[in-house]
Amino acid sequence: MRNGCFLIPFTVILWSSFVVTLVANRVTSITTDQDALLALKDHIVNDPQNLLTTNWTATTSVCDWVGVTCGTRHRRVRALKLSHMGLTGTIPPHLGNLSFLVFASFYNNSFRGSLPDELAKLRRLKYFTIQKNYFGGEIPSWLGSFTRLHTLSLANNSFTGAIPPSLFHLSELDGLDLSNNDLQGHIPREIGKLSKLRLLYLRHTGLSGSIPSAVFNISSLQDIDLTGNMLSGSLPSANVTMSSLRIIGFGLNNLTGSLPSNLFNNLPNLEGLYLSRNLFHGQIPAALFGCTQLKILSVL
Ligand SMILES: *[C@@H]1O[C@H](CO)[C@@H](O)[C@H](O)[C@H]1NC(C)=O
Ligand SMILES: *[C@@H]1O[C@H](CO)[C@@H](O)[C@H](O)[C@H]1NC(C)=O
Ligand SMILES: *[C@@H]1O[C@H](CO)[C@@H](O)[C@H](O)[C@H]1NC(C)=O
Ligand SMILES: *[C@@H]1O[C@H](CO)[C@@H](O)[C@H](O)[C@H]1NC(C)=O
Ligand SMILES: *[C@@H]1O[C@H](CO)[C@@H](O)[C@H](O)[C@H]1NC(C)=O
Ligand SMILES: *[C@@H]1O[C@H](CO)[C@@H](O)[C@H](O)[C@H]1NC(C)=O
Ligand SMILES: *[C@@H]1O[C@H](CO)[C@@H](O)[C@H](O)[C@H]1NC(C)=O
């Protein structure tokens, strides 16, 4: 009886490690990566420079394909850099099988359609830059599960809807660019959770509502550009200390009220302050003259 009790959990452990090994083996082969990339090639309908057409062939190693970099240790696809290739096509779900992918760039091509949900499996991603394409649909909420994500650029696409709240779980995020999309809704106050954010670009996105004061709580911020939205309300009059802040771009919105003096007390590295085409009134706060690095002040 005693032996039996001992044996059952032992068997369970053996069995589960067997299953884990099986699952791991199914996804840890360079052939999986090759199949995923060949599926991508199949989804390219125009390749004007014949880059993938002539180069991505099963007779050579995936690691030697143009735009592909493999890790030195695992020899699995680590980076996919397909920027400026003039490619037209869609992203197949198979790309989610590139389980070692850290860097993915599709910058400046003509990809369209939505991002398949299978990409949610790319848990190692640190850089995801797909700006200047024709991607559409809502911004997928699974982007928020990439816990190591450092740079996310979806700029210059046709994404619609609200900013998914899950994005604010990306605690390692350094750069977020959603500019030039057709978004709706507000800038959620949870944005303050992005405590490592350095670059925040939300230009021409269609966002409305006020600028949450939590934005001024992100002490790492260097550039914040909210130009050309429908933002309203006044600026918070909190005493903020943002010693890295270099650029504030709030122009072309519907912001009102006076410029709060407190806001500019501790911005020692502010170089550019763009506030023009809003509904501000009152005087330029004296605190601004304490921003000794200020080179551009645009208020008209
Ligand atoms: C594919 O492109 C890479 C990088 O430009 C090059 O080193 C390789 O020789 C090319 N392979 C073929 C089969 O053209
Ligand atoms: C985009 O890529 C094309 C080549 O397909 C290139 O001619 C163009 O200069 C690139 N544009 C930008 C903004 O980099
Ligand atoms: C890869 O992804 C596709 C589509 O998501 C799937 O059908 C396929 O079985 C996956 N696995 C491998 C090992 O290719
Ligand atoms: C995005 O589009 C805008 C407006 O057309 C342009 O000024 C900007 O350079 C583009 N940015 C990128 C990254 O392509
Ligand atoms: C700013 O951060 C402080 C300290 O973490 C917190 O107590 C405060 O509520 C935050 N303010 C906003 C507006 O998020
Ligand atoms: C600013 O508000 C006015 C009046 O509510 C509205 O007509 C206009 O479209 C708004 N402009 C922007 C850029 O939000
Ligand atoms: C804000 O900062 C200024 C200058 O550092 C200081 O004189 C003032 O008392 C502060 N106000 C608040 C409410 O903390």
Side-chain angles (χ1 to χ4, degrees):
M1 207 49 215
R2 233 177 224 176
N3 277 347
C5 288
F6 176 74
L7 273 176
I8 290 166
F10 188 64
T11 317
V12 168
I13 289 166
L14 269 185
W15 170 243
S16 49
S17 58
F18 177 59
V19 170
V20 166
T21 312
L22 268 186
V23 169
N25 280 344
R26 211 178 48 194
V27 294
T28 50
S29 127
I30 188 73
T31 312
T32 317
D33 293 3
Q34 176 177 312
D35 290 348
L37 293 177
L38 288 176
L40 174 62
K41 182 183 172 184
D42 273 350
H43 283 72
I44 305 288
V45 295
N46 189 22
D47 177 4
Q49 305 173 56
N50 281 324
L51 285 170
L52 310 194
T53 321
T54 57
N55 193 279
W56 285 21
T57 57
T59 52
T60 55
S61 161
V62 185
C63 299
D64 293 330
W65 291 1
V66 64
V68 178
T69 309
C70 291
T72 44
R73 209 153 47 91
H74 297 290
R75 301 304 288 164
R76 297 289 305 275
V77 173
R78 208 180 126 79
L80 189 56
K81 300 183 182 176
L82 303 180
S83 30
H84 312 298
M85 287 186 172
L87 304 171
T88 303
T90 53
I91 304 288
H94 309 72
L95 224 56
N97 290 344
L98 294 175
S99 42
F100 283 78
L101 200 65
V102 170
F103 188 109
S105 175
F106 296 88
Y107 173 33
N108 183 25
N109 284 285
S110 297
F111 283 100
R112 51 192 159 74
S114 53
L115 298 170
D117 288 344
E118 284 79 1
L119 298 190
K121 296 187 287 180
L122 302 174
R123 295 300 171 98
R124 286 186 167 86
L125 265 191
K126 286 189 185 161
Y127 300 88
F128 190 61
T129 57
I130 61 169
Q131 68 271 38
K132 206 164 191 301
N133 278 284
Y134 300 95
F135 286 112
E138 301 216 329
I139 297 176
S141 60
W142 46 254
L143 286 169
S145 62
F146 296 157
T147 52
R148 303 177 189 180
L149 205 62
H150 178 274
T151 302
L152 177 61
S153 178
L154 309 181
N156 294 36
N157 277 289
S158 303
F159 287 106
T160 55
I163 302 177
S166 62
L167 290 195
F168 305 119
H169 297 146
L170 297 170
S171 55
E172 296 297 317
L173 205 61
D174 172 87
L176 176 64
D177 191 352
L178 306 179
S179 302
N180 297 299
N181 280 290
D182 304 314
L183 306 182
Q184 276 175 2
H186 300 178
I187 303 172
R189 114 181 101 76
E190 286 77 14
I191 198 161
K193 292 198 220 158
L194 300 176
S195 59
K196 292 190 179 167
L197 197 65
R198 204 167 46 86
L199 309 172
L200 176 61
Y201 300 125
L202 302 172
R203 295 170 59 87
H204 301 285
T205 56
L207 293 170
S208 55
S210 58
I211 300 175
S213 57
V215 162
F216 300 98
N217 235 2
I218 310 175
S219 55
S220 51
L221 263 189
Q222 183 189 302
D223 292 10
I224 173 169
D225 194 345
L226 310 178
T227 305
N229 288 291
M230 295 183 290
L231 300 170
S232 54
S234 53
L235 298 181
S237 69
N239 250 352
V240 300
T241 301
M242 298 174 87
S243 46
S244 305
L245 197 61
R246 211 172 53 90
I247 304 288
I248 296 179
F250 289 170
L252 260 177
N253 279 289
N254 253 345
L255 299 167
T256 51
S258 57
L259 299 181
S261 182
N262 279 347
L263 195 55
F264 304 101
N265 275 339
N266 291 303
L267 306 179
N269 286 306
L270 191 66
E271 289 175 23
L273 178 60
Y274 301 85
L275 301 173
S276 58
R277 312 275 296 275
N278 278 290
L279 306 169
F280 290 120
H281 62 76
Q283 294 176 335
I284 296 187
L288 255 184
F289 301 110
C291 301
T292 53
Q293 300 301 310
L294 196 62
K295 294 182 184 77
I296 297 171
L297 172 60
S298 154
V299 287
L300 287 179

